[in-house]
Amino acid sequence: MLAADKLYLEGYFSRGVTRLKFKEFQLHHLNLTTVSTQASVLAGFGFAALVKFHTHEVTHPFLLFGFYTCTMLQLAANILCIATTTMLSVCGTSLSMRGPDGSIVRSVDAIYSLRRHVFGLFWLGIAATLGTGIFYCWIIFDAVHAIGSSAILLLTLVLLVRW
């Protein structure tokens, strides 16, 4: 009788842990999906910047180098963010649902440990997008307008880092 009660309590506790971890898994999955969607939008902006951008005949090479470097960095960071979040969602779901006992705990812990990497890529993509905008302002506008536009974009970056 005592052994049966012990098994019942272990099963009840295990079911509670699994339910809690499943809720945590759903939260991480939703967060990853949201980040991936936003990274896709930013990657589209970067691709459009490469395709639609036309320079003036007299453009300083430093400005062009900065523009193209920030655009490529933005594309790379956002594509890596998309790929990482997709693999975490697909592999994490597969591991948690099809793996051996306790695999949902391993899956949630793995996703949680890699979330900083994903968020780092996402924020790098945002910063590079703002950098692309700053260089674009200096290529397209005259100095007065470029200073004002760059100040707004730099203020945006500062506020994002501060928040």
Side-chain angles (χ1 to χ4, degrees):
M1 184 71 170
L2 204 54
D5 286 342
K6 179 183 175 189
L7 285 175
Y8 172 76
L9 287 175
E10 285 175 355
Y12 184 77
F13 177 74
S14 177
R15 188 174 71 198
V17 168
T18 303
R19 281 185 181 168
L20 186 62
K21 282 296 182 180
F22 184 71
K23 285 183 180 183
E24 190 177 354
F25 176 80
Q26 286 178 319
L27 173 71
H28 292 314
H29 188 267
L30 180 64
N31 289 342
L32 290 175
T33 304
T34 302
V35 169
S36 179
T37 302
Q38 299 307 315
S40 298
V41 171
L42 290 174
F45 289 154
F47 186 73
L50 287 177
V51 172
K52 302 275 184 181
F53 180 67
H54 300 289
T55 63
H56 299 296
E57 289 78 29
V58 186
T59 302
H60 196 279
F62 172 76
L63 294 175
L64 289 176
F65 176 77
F67 175 81
Y68 287 121
T69 301
C70 284
T71 303
M72 289 300 177
L73 181 62
Q74 181 244 2
L75 269 172
N78 286 317
I79 290 172
L80 283 170
C81 182
I82 294 165
T84 305
T85 56
T86 301
M87 292 308 296
L88 283 174
S89 293
V90 170
C91 294
T93 303
S94 179
L95 173 64
S96 66
M97 297 300 161
R98 295 186 183 134
D101 288 343
S103 58
I104 193 166
V105 174
R106 284 187 22 224
S107 173
V108 169
D109 291 344
I111 290 172
Y112 185 77
S113 68
L114 290 172
R115 73 177 167 57
R116 285 185 186 256
H117 176 72
V118 169
F119 292 152
L121 287 171
F122 180 69
W123 286 111
L124 178 62
I126 287 178
T129 300
L130 291 171
T132 296
I134 289 170
F135 281 109
Y136 182 78
C137 290
W138 283 96
I139 291 170
I140 298 300
F141 301 143
D142 59 358
V144 173
H145 294 103
I147 289 171
S149 300
S150 297
I152 291 170
L153 292 173
L154 283 172
L155 178 64
T156 302
L157 182 62
V158 167
L159 289 175
L160 285 172
V161 168
R162 191 169 174 215
W163 289 339

